[in-house]
Amino acid sequence: MTTTMLEERQDQTPKPETPSPHPPAQAEEEPQEGVNQLEVVLTAICTVSLATAWLGGRMGLVSGTPQLVLYIIAYISGGFFGTIEGLKALRRLELNVDFLMVLAAVGAASIGEWAEGATLLFLFSLSNTLQSYALERSRKAIRALMDLRPAEALVRHPDGREEMVPIEQLRIGDIVIVKPGERIPIDGVVVEGSSAVDQSPITGESIPVTKEVGDEVFAGTLNGGGVLEIRVTRLAEDTTLAKIIQMVEQAQARKAPTQRFLEEFEPRYATGVVLTAIALIVVPTFILGHPFDTTFYRAMTFLVVASPCALVISTPASILSAIANAARNGILFKGGAYLEQAATIDAIAFDKTGTLTYGRPKVTAIVPATEVLGEAWFDSALLAQLQPKGVDAPLALSREEVLRLAASAERYSEHPLGEAIVAAAQEAGLPLADPEDAQAVVGKGLVARIEGQEVRIGNRKMADEAGELWPMPLQLEAHRLEQEGNTVVYVSVDGHPVGLIALADTIREDARATIEMLRAIGVKRIVMLTGDSRRVAKAVAREVGIVEVYAELLPQDKVALVERLAQESHVAMVGDGVNDAPAMAVSHLGIAMGAAGTDVALETADVVLMSDDLTKIPYLVGLARRARRIVWQNIAFSLAVIVVLVASVFIVNLPLPLGVVGHEGSTLIVVANGLRLLRTPREKILEAATTTA
């Protein structure tokens, strides 16, 4: 196996130094890309020369000097790259596989076995070319993303003129027009139009997402049936797509620990093989008196079959394929080290807000006073008895009217709770009135006049300070809603209680299924970390099926907890990639989710989920475990082949051509086995992970 395709140059991408149990993300080397066309040509020349010399000799058409010249041509063309790589290693005072192969071929020629030496170099050269082609397939699976980005964009200038310009000339603030069926050329925000956009190349989502005014869109995604006008927010070199391509290429260059070990092991092993071959020549010939030709031939055969080609290629073939598979599904591993680390994860810590939940409040219940108190409370005779005792009369409003009045009061509010109430009313199609004299009461709520009535919406403290007396059944209902993890706002009209509105940070639909799947694939410990109150945290944990909960945490508390977990288990920290960065840094594996377009998230985590799909977490763990199994399958197979072939050299006098076939054939088998990960579907990976848990 030539090391041409594994020769690398230093990657200068800086990595912040943070105390962490992560595998060291050192500056790695970047694989030389592409199949070397000269290598293909030389392999073809070697093939033709060898076939002509051997067949011509068999048929009596070529012999003597012409046949020798053809074999020499086969040697030069078949051993060209191996000789170069071998000499490079020698300059570093190292021996490698290439040196072993060339040495064995020269040895065969020295005892007149030109055909067998040329056959060795032909198969060696062919094997290298096929390996280069196979590994390039995994790289092309990612670089194909570059083809998704159009070279030009239709720009509308301020004077109304439209012009096609190269995307490199786009500037922030330009307006780009994207027609139906076209690829979106740049990252930006929709300023006109609406359409369904297929953004699977970026986020891995299988269903097109509706984009309207104000929504963010990404370069490389496919516009559906509508015309979109997009304001550019990032330059071409800064788009999410460009960063994905850069990150994956760097990830393919950052080697896994197993790969790094095998490559460090190769020169030591090769040195041992050469010394053993020398001993196999010297001892039998000069001490035991065996014939030189037979002894030398056996030593050359040993050189070939003991070479660790398949062993060295076993890891990168699998790791690169797994990284490519993950990237096509919207998961970015920042290096092979993190892929191997993901395979060892047996505990996962989830941030709550924005991870298990959506991170934004939503109306979960509207409770009019009539629903709790019943019609009897609104009997005039009963109210006449209660009011002297200091109980305000509730107003008999419907659920829709309570929501309409509250939303009208909050219509122009920028508070997240107010925005959620307005969104609920708009979703219900309720007509909102314009508020008059709206005044926010900091930390408590808001007061506004709606259609001549004073509407007060806020927390219990605000209601108490206003002197409102809420009937005990309504207070008990508010307490019940709070125990379920809701934030409760009290709504009154002209000082009379009319109802309660409950809001909560809603749980993601796939959260519980994800937790169950993680347990099914063998993740033993799942915890939730949050700065929210214990009451809210327990309610969310109960809903998603998490037992171990830590609440009311400051950022430093999260870090301390994750550090403790990391001492007890191999732990991954899942968060939004921004405020969870310190906890991610001290975990074994930091996973940022929903990071499409988020620069901080792309830079923070070891693994990036481009969409808010929690179900990708079990998939990435399963993929990493499958890659690890294939790596060890390849290593075990490679070692077994070496042992069998070496034993055959001494037991049955294995001929050199058969040794070459066994050696190069095993190399191609491990490459093909690793490349299976390129096409393994998500469902099969999860099924296998569940079965082997």
Side-chain angles (χ1 to χ4, degrees):
M1 179 202 69
T2 183
T3 54
T4 301
M5 303 314 297
L6 300 176
E7 272 297 288
E8 313 181 62
R9 57 181 179 272
Q10 287 296 321
D11 170 20
Q12 301 299 327
T13 305
K15 180 80 173 179
E17 294 183 1
T18 310
S20 163
H22 289 206
Q26 303 168 352
E28 296 282 1
E29 300 175 341
E30 182 178 341
Q32 187 178 12
E33 296 181 357
V35 178
N36 191 319
Q37 296 303 315
L38 178 58
E39 191 172 24
V40 175
V41 172
L42 291 179
T43 300
I45 293 173
C46 180
T47 305
V48 173
S49 302
L50 173 61
T52 304
W54 187 79
L55 288 174
R58 287 279 181 170
M59 299 172 64
L61 300 176
V62 180
S63 61
T65 302
Q67 187 180 41
L68 179 60
V69 169
L70 288 171
Y71 279 134
I72 292 174
I73 293 173
Y75 262 65
I76 294 172
S77 55
F80 180 80
F81 282 104
T83 302
I84 291 176
E85 299 304 323
L87 291 175
K88 285 181 180 178
L90 285 176
R91 281 201 297 270
R92 299 192 299 267
L93 301 179
E94 294 178 353
L95 298 179
N96 62 7
V97 173
D98 305 85
F99 178 82
L100 299 184
M101 294 297 100
V102 173
L103 184 62
V106 171
S110 68
I111 57 175
E113 300 291 346
W114 285 93
E116 295 187 0
T119 302
L120 166 61
L121 293 177
F122 158 66
L123 289 175
F124 187 52
S125 178
L126 177 63
S127 174
N128 292 332
T129 303
L130 292 178
Q131 287 175 42
S132 300
Y133 173 76
L135 292 179
E136 181 64 8
R137 284 184 58 195
S138 66
R139 299 188 181 101
K140 283 183 177 178
I142 300 306
R143 288 205 306 274
L145 288 172
M146 299 183 69
D147 297 332
L148 298 176
R149 188 178 64 181
E152 294 183 319
L154 180 61
V155 175
R156 174 175 291 155
H157 295 287
D159 60 5
R161 181 171 52 89
E162 297 180 0
E163 180 186 8
M164 292 294 295
V165 301
I167 60 170
E168 291 77 15
Q169 295 181 13
L170 292 176
R171 294 292 174 261
I172 294 175
D174 285 351
I175 301 299
V176 172
I177 301 171
V178 182
K179 297 177 182 179
E182 292 182 344
R183 293 275 177 190
I184 294 175
I186 201 77
D187 283 10
V189 174
V190 177
V191 295
E192 187 68 37
S194 65
S195 181
V197 174
D198 176 6
Q199 51 186 36
S200 57
I202 302 298
T203 66
E205 295 166 287
S206 58
I207 300 174
V209 179
T210 300
K211 299 291 184 178
E212 298 177 335
V213 174
D215 290 337
E216 188 175 14
V217 293
F218 306 111
T221 56
L222 181 63
N223 185 25
V227 177
L228 296 177
E229 294 188 17
I230 299 166
R231 184 178 69 252
V232 176
T233 57
R234 288 191 181 94
L235 300 178
E237 63 270 21
D238 297 326
T239 63
T240 300
L241 177 61
K243 290 179 179 178
I244 289 173
I245 295 169
Q246 178 186 21
M247 284 174 57
V248 175
E249 288 177 340
Q250 290 173 356
Q252 291 179 331
R254 293 190 179 112
K255 291 174 278 190
T258 304
Q259 179 183 352
R260 192 178 293 115
F261 169 78
L262 290 175
E263 291 184 3
E264 291 172 354
F265 170 74
E266 179 189 353
R268 299 188 184 97
Y269 180 86
T271 301
V273 170
V274 170
L275 293 176
T276 303
I278 293 173
L280 288 174
I281 296 171
V282 173
V283 173
T285 303
F286 298 103
I287 297 178
L288 302 178
H290 293 177
F292 175 78
D293 286 358
T294 303
T295 301
F296 190 81
Y297 183 87
R298 177 184 294 174
M300 294 302 100
T301 305
F302 170 80
L303 272 182
V304 172
V305 301
S307 296
C309 294
L311 189 62
V312 174
I313 196 64
S314 60
T315 298
S318 305
I319 295 297
L320 295 184
S321 298
I323 288 174
N325 185 319
R328 284 205 306 270
N329 285 278
I331 301 171
L332 302 184
F333 282 94
K334 289 191 174 179
Y338 302 121
L339 184 72
E340 283 202 348
Q341 192 77 321
T344 68
I345 294 300
D346 56 7
I348 297 182
F350 283 94
D351 172 55
K352 178 185 77 70
T353 305
T355 303
L356 292 172
T357 67
Y358 283 103
R360 55 183 183 272
K362 184 178 181 180
V363 172
T364 57
I366 304 164
V367 184
T370 53
E371 186 176 293
V372 176
L373 303 175
E375 295 297 331
W377 274 86
F378 299 91
D379 180 82
S380 57
L382 179 60
L383 290 177
Q385 297 174 18
L386 292 173
Q387 284 177 329
K389 298 179 181 179
V391 178
D392 284 351
L395 295 180
L397 299 182
S398 66
R399 180 182 281 101
E400 289 74 16
E401 189 62 15
V402 171
L403 179 60
R404 188 187 74 82
L405 289 174
S408 296
E410 298 276 12
R411 188 169 187 177
Y412 302 115
S413 171
E414 295 182 355
H415 192 281
L417 295 180
E419 291 176 344
I421 291 171
V422 172
Q426 291 174 337
E427 186 176 331
L430 301 177
L432 302 185
D434 286 327
E436 301 174 11
D437 301 326
Q439 294 182 354
V441 182
V442 178
K444 298 173 185 176
L446 179 142
V447 180
R449 295 198 67 80
I450 305 296
E451 298 169 346
Q453 305 173 95
E454 183 185 77
V455 176
R456 188 179 298 269
I457 175 170
N459 56 24
R460 177 63 190 274
K461 187 175 182 180
M462 181 176 178
D464 290 344
E465 290 179 354
E468 298 173 358
L469 298 175
W470 285 67
M472 185 56 66
L474 281 174
Q475 294 182 41
L476 292 174
E477 178 65 14
H479 179 70
R480 184 189 69 80
L481 291 169
E482 288 172 346
Q483 289 299 112
E484 293 179 353
N486 294 284
T487 297
V488 177
V489 296
Y490 295 71
V491 184
S492 66
V493 176
D494 290 334
H496 298 287
V498 297
L500 306 167
I501 298 179
L503 302 99
D505 182 3
T506 51
I507 298 169
R508 296 185 186 277
E509 293 83 358
D510 52 6
R512 189 175 188 89
T514 298
I515 301 302
E516 291 173 353
M517 178 58 73
L518 286 171
R519 289 201 176 97
I521 66 174
V523 177
K524 300 174 183 177
R525 192 173 182 184
I526 301 175
V527 304
M528 187 179 79
L529 311 178
T530 180
D532 214 333
S533 68
R534 295 185 188 279
R535 172 178 52 80
V536 172
K538 287 183 178 179
V540 172
R542 186 169 54 250
E543 186 69 23
V544 302
I546 294 178
V547 176
E548 193 172 351
V549 183
Y550 300 91
E552 299 177 0
L553 301 175
L554 297 174
Q556 59 266 33
D557 299 328
K558 286 187 179 181
V559 171
L561 267 168
V562 173
E563 283 181 327
R564 193 179 78 197
L565 289 170
Q567 293 172 359
E568 301 168 356
S569 312
H570 285 86
V571 62
M573 174 67 196
V574 184
D576 61 12
V578 183
N579 56 1
D580 298 310
M584 287 182 183
V586 297
S587 68
H588 290 94
L589 190 74
I591 303 174
M593 62 171 292
T598 308
D599 292 342
V600 176
L602 289 172
E603 296 297 330
T604 300
D606 307 317
V607 182
V608 178
L609 310 185
M610 299 306 294
S611 68
D612 289 327
D613 186 356
L614 280 171
T615 63
K616 289 182 178 178
I617 298 173
Y619 164 69
L620 77 86
V621 174
L623 177 66
R625 290 178 181 174
R626 187 176 181 88
R628 181 179 61 177
R629 283 196 300 273
I630 290 178
V631 165
W632 284 106
Q633 285 172 8
N634 285 345
I635 290 173
F637 175 76
S638 304
L639 290 173
V641 169
I642 290 174
V643 169
V644 169
L645 291 178
V646 169
S648 300
V649 170
F650 298 102
I651 297 173
V652 297
N653 291 320
L654 181 74
L656 180 59
L658 289 182
V660 170
V661 171
H663 174 270
E664 300 301 335
S666 66
T667 302
L668 294 179
I669 287 172
V670 298
V671 170
N673 191 39
L675 290 180
R676 287 190 301 133
L677 282 168
L678 273 178
R679 297 298 177 188
T680 305
R682 176 171 172 172
E683 295 75 16
K684 187 173 181 180
I685 286 173
L686 288 174
E687 180 183 352
T690 304
T691 304
T692 57

